[in-house]
């Protein structure tokens, strides 16, 4: 279960990335952010969680944007 502070972080990161990638489906962006959160959710130091999530999601999305489908 996601606590309210993490839910707010997920939402704000997803909103920034939806604006940054208007050609991508919003559900895909939200999925990438959720994947990034799931990978980082147990980090002890939470201060940088939003930027780390955004960078990881950005990496996942750039793979999706490549014409070769990420292969």
């Amino acid at each position: 279960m996601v606590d309210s502070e993490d839910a707010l972080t997920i939402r704000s990161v997803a909103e920034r990335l939806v604006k940054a990638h208007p050609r991508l489906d919003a559900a895909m962006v939200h999925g990438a952010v959720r994947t990034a959160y799931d990978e980082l959710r147990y980090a002890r130091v939470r201060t940088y969680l939003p930027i780390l999530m955004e960078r990881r999601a950005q990496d996942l999305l750039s793979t999706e944007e490549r014409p070769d489908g990420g292969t």
Side-chain angles (χ1 to χ4, degrees), residues 1-39:
M1 185 166 153
V2 177
D3 69 23
S4 61
E5 188 174 327
D6 283 352
L8 181 61
T9 301
I10 291 168
R11 187 171 43 241
S12 66
V13 168
E15 288 172 0
R16 282 195 303 271
L17 289 175
V18 165
K19 289 178 186 175
H21 298 276
R23 292 177 293 144
L24 292 178
D25 180 43
M28 181 186 302
V29 175
H30 285 274
V33 172
R34 184 60 194 207
T35 298
Y37 172 76
D38 288 342
E39 292 175 0

Side-chain angles (χ1 to χ4, degrees), residues 38-64:
D38 288 342
E39 292 175 0
L40 298 165
R41 71 168 22 164
Y42 297 111
R44 287 192 219 181
V45 179
R46 314 281 298 167
T47 304
Y48 302 107
L49 186 61
I51 190 69
L52 294 173
M53 284 174 48
E54 189 166 348
R55 287 179 181 173
R56 178 62 181 132
Q58 190 86 316
D59 289 344
L60 293 169
L61 292 171
S62 66
T63 300
E64 294 296 325

